[in-house]
Amino acid sequence: WRRNKMGFPFPYQEWLKTSKSIAIKNIVDVDCPWINTSVLINDYDKMVKIAPITLWRVLSVLLWWRRVVEQRVIFSHI
């Protein structure tokens, strides 16, 4: 009968570090008008350290944009 619900911990920083090349490959040429991908790519390592959850959310939007709006394939490996 708990009132608070807790999720499980996820190692965002570790996952984002090891997946950097795949993430960059998928977002480098995405043309989303609300996200500057060149700034995101430039600040990727800094964001992994200070705001990994925010970085994951922005990457998720860009991956969605690439797949749904641009109707292009998402790469899962290098």
Side-chain angles (χ1 to χ4, degrees):
W1 300 107
R2 275 184 25 202
R3 290 184 183 218
N4 59 344
K5 185 175 179 181
M6 295 177 55
F8 59 93
F10 186 82
Y12 288 99
Q13 287 181 322
E14 181 182 330
W15 185 79
L16 289 166
K17 282 181 189 176
T18 60
S19 301
K20 180 181 178 180
S21 59
I22 295 168
I24 300 297
K25 183 178 181 180
N26 277 298
I27 67 168
V28 69
D29 58 350
V30 173
D31 189 24
C32 178
W34 296 285
I35 300 172
N36 187 332
T37 55
S38 60
V39 171
L40 182 66
I41 291 167
N42 190 49
D43 293 344
Y44 188 96
D45 294 327
K46 184 169 71 173
M47 287 190 72
V48 166
K49 291 178 185 173
I50 64 171
I53 295 173
T54 302
L55 175 58
W56 168 243
R57 290 174 180 164
V58 173
L59 288 173
S60 296
V61 169
L62 288 171
L63 292 172
W64 174 84
W65 189 272
R66 178 185 179 100
R67 184 67 191 112
V68 176
V69 177
E70 296 180 352
Q71 297 183 347
R72 296 190 306 151
V73 173
I74 293 176
F75 303 107
S76 59
H77 60 282
I78 299 175

